[in-house]
Amino acid sequence: MSYYDNRELSWLKFNARVLEEAQDTTTPLFERLRFVRIFCSNLDEFFMIRVGSLRDKLLCEPKDRENKTNMTPKEQLNAIARQVKKLLPLKDAAYADIMGGLTAFGVEHLDENRLSAEQDAFFKAFFAREIRPLLFTGIMDKKHPIPFLKNCEIYVACKIHRKGDAQGKYTFGILPASENLPRIVFLPNTEGMGFSGKFLLIEEIIRRYAKQIWDNFEVLSSAIFRVTRNADIEINEGLFDHDVDFRSVMEKLVKKRKKLHPVRIEFQGSPDSDMTDEIPKLLDIGENFVFKQSAPLSPEFMSVLEKRLERYPELFFRPLTPQRSPQILPGKPLIEQIRQRDILLSYPYESIGQFIGLLEEAAVNPSVTSIKITLYRVARDSKIIGALKTAAENGKHVLALVELRARFDEENNIGWSKQLEDAGVNVIYGLEELKVHSKLLLITLRDGNEVSYITQVGTGNYNERTSALYTDMTLMTANRDIGSDASVVFNALMTGSTVESTNRLLVAPKGLKSGIVRLIDNEISYGRDGYIGIKINSLTDRDLIEKLAEAARVGVRVELIVRGICCLIPGSDNADNTMTENIRVISVVGRFLEHSRIYIFGRENRKQVYISSADFMTRNTEKRVEVAAPILDSSLAERVCGIFNTILRDNVKARELCADGKYRRVSSDGNPPLNSQIWFYEQAYKANENSYAAIAESKPSNSPVKVKIRRIR
């Protein structure tokens, strides 16, 4: 149907919006460089997972067609390659522009082919002293086993001719440029004290002086390259047999991932055509997936530059600090406050430290009998893990479901699971064929014969680091129905089963999608008086897309905030020209990653509001354990709707998806500029200042409260 877009191509449109932030001259210069890095790391993961999966499908099911645009795996791969080759020159131009601007701040990425005599002498000596002793060489041709090339590691290829061999005969030598070597090398200051900001990358130095390595060969040409390997590992049912240790199997699979088939090769600069033709063939990489670019292949060196530039605040975003929620009174037990009223935190504007305070309080509260939590991604120095260990050591029954299949966090989670077990925590893993992606915490208390619950449901991970970078929400409630539902969820997880029904929570895989369809159907019954507002990361579930289109067709107003993939194209022309004309889709890409999920159904007094961990993707609605929680407190529901509506009015970082499938900047239409993320931070600062002022007024004159507020200017 004409209102569908392909999932993979829609994702590339999202990454193009990330790249727009790198091109935006109103963004501080180093922050633009950071967006280049995000664009590159996003693309790496896309090739490892999505392209890797499509390549597998091409081999096993070449005639299979995806269910929205009817494209075969080959058609999708070809379209991906074409689109990526359009984006890479834009990325290269952005990098060159940014680095050109940084020269005014003393940082300069030198051209290895335009070094002065003094510069050449320094780098040549550095190569001989610091690099050459650590290099090992490999040969790549039909007569030698191909050396193993690590995923996303940088190498220098040299086209070499053995002295004495026939003219025109050559082979390829391979030099690693990543392991045990500094990523970036700075020139010394002209005064001889310390180092300047002028630099070359280690691979550029190796390429320039590679002739010193091959004593018996003539180096005809050289090139920097790297390969990207398929990382889409599958977990089969047999791993869940009772006589198999799932954690040890996952450890083996993570190691296996590092050796899967290459799906992409990138060359930097203008390499010899023999290299770009023959090396990919030796690696069995099709010509469509050979990419050339002028910018560095890996942006990891940028963190070194950041330290050198910290003294220039104009190169960075203004520092912003997550604030204390005005809902939470300092010095008073949080459990008692939650029993009095529901509390909603909004990250990064409000601090996750307040939620951590709840866990730390529960760990020592004598009334707390158990703590149960689902862990998908956590920080490497997690205070949340520390609180759970403390609770177990204090004799609480602590259950932690650690999802070992959280992509690219498998090793991290394997390590945490071992630490938790050592501390006495009861650790379980995800269900057979179902990842547990929910963000759910249940604290059970017993006071005499009375049992009560404190339940937390979030949209994002229990990760202190990302809570300062991602927009997310967390609900903390003492509502007994929600607590009972959470208890049902954990009981099912402990027995390896899924939840059949609940009273308040919507729980995937059996109750979330059906619950959303029911809520959409209810709005359909209201026709033009109906309303649906959804904020998610991705929209790919065909059933839900069809339902939203059905609602729009009968006049329901549908407003979607979809940060990433959106397979529904609004306002598209088709047979009756009304399928999606009542649907508006925007995407906000800015300083923080939009990550919260909000579902709103209905207008005014009949409005129902949910927050959730689930996107509208089939993997979330049918193949994961996800939880959506209703916001039952009317004031909090209005707050969530206010957040949603403010994002809809963003005219600085919002792009609107148009009927032609392209995203365009939202026009201000004469309205004042509104960057919703910065506006929310300003409100958090003001609310914190006002709450401190109110506390100060309530204190006796001999008990002053010191207020220290950092204003946004």
Side-chain angles (χ1 to χ4, degrees):
M1 291 185 181
S2 60
Y3 56 81
Y4 277 117
D5 198 0
N6 176 266
R7 167 183 171 154
E8 319 307 343
L9 299 182
S10 179
W11 184 91
L12 287 173
K13 292 176 186 178
F14 157 67
N15 212 28
R17 298 194 293 280
V18 173
L19 186 56
E20 286 177 4
E21 294 300 300
Q23 298 168 312
D24 188 347
T25 56
T26 66
T27 299
L29 203 55
F30 192 86
E31 302 296 347
R32 290 174 58 193
L33 192 60
R34 215 187 298 274
F35 278 111
V36 170
R37 181 176 183 172
I38 294 169
F39 170 85
C40 294
S41 61
N42 283 351
L43 204 57
D44 287 349
E45 184 171 336
F46 176 74
F47 272 92
M48 285 188 277
I49 302 303
R50 299 307 306 168
V51 174
S53 175
L54 281 172
R55 191 182 184 283
D56 290 344
K57 185 161 285 190
L58 178 63
L59 296 174
C60 302
E61 304 172 78
K63 296 182 179 180
D64 183 65
R65 294 183 180 273
E66 54 95 24
N67 67 354
K68 300 176 186 69
T69 55
N70 206 36
M71 296 172 73
T72 64
K74 184 176 181 179
E75 289 169 340
Q76 293 181 77
L77 287 168
N78 289 339
I80 287 167
R82 287 193 299 271
Q83 189 59 29
V84 170
K85 286 177 179 178
K86 291 178 182 177
L87 291 174
L88 290 180
L90 300 177
K91 183 265 294 182
D92 289 344
Y95 178 80
D97 183 53
I98 295 163
M99 294 308 298
L102 289 177
T103 58
F105 298 89
V107 166
E108 183 181 356
H109 190 168
L110 297 169
D111 183 339
E112 66 186 272
N113 297 312
R114 296 182 179 180
L115 300 177
S116 68
E118 294 80 4
Q119 291 170 343
D120 181 60
F122 170 80
F123 286 121
K124 186 175 183 179
F126 184 90
F127 175 82
R129 184 180 67 254
E130 304 286 346
I131 300 176
R132 182 173 179 173
L134 298 175
L135 288 180
F136 66 89
T137 60
I139 296 294
M140 180 182 285
D141 60 22
K142 295 179 181 178
K143 296 180 180 179
H144 294 82
I146 297 174
F148 179 74
L149 303 175
K150 295 183 178 181
N151 183 41
C152 290
E153 294 286 335
I154 297 174
Y155 295 86
V156 173
C158 297
K159 181 181 172 183
I160 53 178
H161 169 74
R162 187 187 298 273
K163 296 173 183 177
D165 280 356
Q167 194 68 25
K169 188 176 181 181
Y170 61 84
T171 189
F172 297 114
I174 304 298
L175 301 170
S178 299
E179 289 187 347
N180 303 314
L181 296 170
R183 186 72 180 87
I184 186 170
V185 180
F186 291 96
L187 279 174
N189 279 321
T190 54
E191 297 82 6
M193 299 292 291
F195 288 88
S196 70
K198 297 180 179 181
F199 68 91
L200 284 178
L201 299 177
I202 200 72
E203 60 266 29
E204 295 166 337
I205 298 174
I206 293 173
R207 176 171 62 180
R208 180 169 177 81
Y209 304 107
K211 293 179 181 180
Q212 298 183 26
I213 295 292
W214 309 98
D215 295 330
N216 298 316
F217 292 84
E218 177 187 2
V219 177
L220 304 176
S221 64
S222 56
I224 297 167
F225 78 100
R226 71 171 187 160
V227 298
T228 307
R229 293 182 177 274
N230 183 355
D232 189 31
I233 56 176
E234 291 292 333
I235 314 297
N236 61 45
E237 293 183 24
L239 299 182
F240 289 84
D241 292 343
H242 292 295
D243 58 348
V244 173
D245 178 33
F246 182 50
R247 187 165 60 201
S248 65
V249 172
M250 281 303 305
E251 289 175 324
K252 292 176 183 177
L253 283 173
V254 170
K255 291 178 182 177
K256 178 183 177 183
R257 167 192 281 159
K258 298 175 182 178
K259 300 179 181 180
L260 295 180
H261 197 282
V263 295
R264 170 181 68 162
I265 185 168
E266 301 168 275
F267 288 94
Q268 183 181 340
S270 301
D272 187 308
S273 60
D274 289 332
M275 289 188 180
T276 57
D277 290 342
E278 296 183 36
I279 292 178
K281 286 180 183 177
L282 291 170
L283 295 169
D284 192 24
I285 299 175
E287 61 180 354
N288 272 359
F289 288 89
V290 179
F291 300 94
K292 302 172 189 176
Q293 48 200 300
S294 60
L297 300 182
S298 172
E300 297 306 313
F301 68 93
M302 295 177 186
S303 58
V304 179
L305 295 184
E306 182 174 2
K307 292 179 181 178
R308 286 185 163 263
L309 294 167
E310 286 176 345
R311 64 182 183 274
Y312 300 110
E314 63 268 35
L315 296 178
F316 301 91
F317 286 131
R318 294 168 295 175
L320 296 172
T321 305
Q323 298 293 291
R324 183 183 60 81
S325 168
Q327 279 192 281
I328 298 175
L329 297 176
K332 183 178 180 181
L334 193 50
I335 289 174
E336 293 306 315
Q337 295 187 59
I338 296 170
R339 281 173 165 169
Q340 293 173 15
R341 61 171 179 172
D342 292 354
I343 292 175
L344 181 80
L345 298 178
S346 178
Y347 309 143
Y349 318 109
E350 295 171 332
S351 172
I352 193 175
Q354 297 159 115
F355 165 73
I356 296 172
L358 171 64
L359 270 179
E360 291 173 340
E361 181 182 318
V364 298
N365 187 317
S367 298
V368 170
T369 61
S370 70
I371 300 173
K372 301 173 184 177
I373 192 169
T374 58
L375 298 174
Y376 195 75
R377 301 186 198 277
V378 294
R380 294 192 182 275
D381 52 351
S382 175
K383 293 182 180 178
I384 290 167
I385 295 289
L388 296 174
K389 291 162 67 175
T390 299
E393 290 161 359
N394 285 340
K396 315 294 184 189
H397 173 70
V398 182
L399 172 75
L401 185 145
V402 181
E403 182 49 80
L404 299 186
R405 293 164 294 178
R407 186 169 285 142
F408 300 122
D409 265 332
E410 297 97 343
E411 290 180 270
N412 194 33
N413 287 0
I414 288 168
W416 282 129
S417 70
K418 293 176 180 177
Q419 284 196 33
L420 288 168
E421 280 187 347
D422 289 343
V425 173
N426 182 18
V427 176
I428 60 175
Y429 309 122
L431 305 183
E432 186 173 321
E433 294 190 332
L434 294 174
K435 286 185 182 180
V436 178
H437 188 253
S438 60
K439 315 310 189 252
L440 185 64
L441 165 73
L442 179 65
I443 299 170
T444 303
L445 303 96
R446 179 185 292 277
D447 295 297
N449 294 324
E450 183 179 348
V451 174
S452 60
Y453 302 113
I454 298 293
T455 310
Q456 177 269 336
V457 181
T459 68
N461 295 300
Y462 299 109
N463 187 317
E464 298 97 301
R465 179 181 172 275
T466 57
S467 72
L469 303 172
Y470 296 4
T471 74
D472 272 307
M473 294 182 178
T474 192
L475 172 70
M476 297 180 285
T477 179
N479 181 278
R480 189 162 190 85
D481 289 341
I482 290 178
S484 296
D485 282 353
S487 181
V488 169
V489 172
F490 279 109
N491 287 339
L493 292 174
M494 286 187 288
T495 57
S497 58
T498 53
V499 173
E500 297 290 339
S501 63
T502 48
N503 294 317
R504 292 288 192 177
L505 299 179
L506 304 179
V507 184
K510 295 181 179 178
L512 176 67
K513 188 172 183 175
S514 59
I516 291 169
V517 168
R518 184 174 64 252
L519 289 161
I520 294 175
D521 280 335
N522 188 52
E523 293 311 300
I524 290 173
S525 70
Y526 283 90
R528 294 190 178 278
D529 290 328
Y531 177 80
I532 299 170
I534 305 293
K535 180 181 184 296
I536 46 181
N537 297 327
S538 298
L539 172 59
T540 66
D541 188 302
R542 184 185 172 101
D543 296 333
L544 294 180
I545 290 173
E546 288 292 324
K547 266 295 168 187
L548 292 171
E550 179 186 344
R553 191 164 58 246
V554 300
V556 176
R557 181 60 180 164
V558 180
E559 295 179 316
L560 306 176
I561 303 171
V562 186
R563 188 242 310 161
I565 303 167
C566 184
C567 292
L568 184 158
I569 298 177
S572 56
D573 295 328
N574 44 64
D576 59 6
N577 201 35
T578 61
M579 291 293 285
T580 58
E581 66 179 7
N582 286 321
I583 299 178
R584 182 185 182 219
V585 180
I586 71 163
S587 169
V588 173
V589 178
R591 175 171 178 173
F592 305 110
L593 185 138
E594 289 291 338
H595 195 253
S596 57
R597 289 87 162 187
I598 300 170
Y599 314 154
I600 303 169
F601 302 95
R603 301 181 187 271
E604 307 304 332
N605 294 333
R606 62 181 187 81
K607 190 180 297 180
Q608 298 184 68
V609 180
Y610 290 80
I611 64 169
S612 180
S613 56
D615 291 312
F616 282 12
M617 304 178 77
T618 305
R619 74 180 190 190
N620 297 95
T621 58
E622 296 182 7
K623 300 176 181 179
R624 289 183 174 183
V625 175
E626 303 272 15
V627 171
I631 307 298
L632 301 177
D633 182 289
S634 59
S635 64
L636 294 186
E638 285 304 312
R639 182 186 174 199
V640 173
C641 291
I643 290 171
F644 183 89
N645 291 328
T646 299
I647 297 171
L648 279 178
R649 298 198 309 273
D650 191 308
N651 56 22
V652 174
K653 294 301 181 183
R655 287 86 164 168
E656 185 162 1
L657 179 56
C658 302
D660 60 2
K662 296 180 179 179
Y663 285 83
R664 294 180 174 87
R665 293 270 186 179
V666 170
S667 172
S668 63
D669 293 327
N671 294 314
L674 174 62
N675 181 330
S676 59
Q677 294 180 345
I678 298 304
W679 189 88
F680 290 135
Y681 240 120
E682 289 172 344
Q683 298 309 302
Y685 273 69
K686 289 177 182 177
N688 205 347
E689 183 177 22
N690 292 337
S691 67
Y692 270 117
I695 293 168
E697 290 177 4
S698 68
K699 294 280 186 177
S701 59
N702 60 349
S703 303
V705 174
K706 295 182 180 180
V707 181
K708 185 178 182 180
I709 299 294
R710 179 184 295 171
R711 297 181 185 277
I712 302 175
R713 301 190 186 280

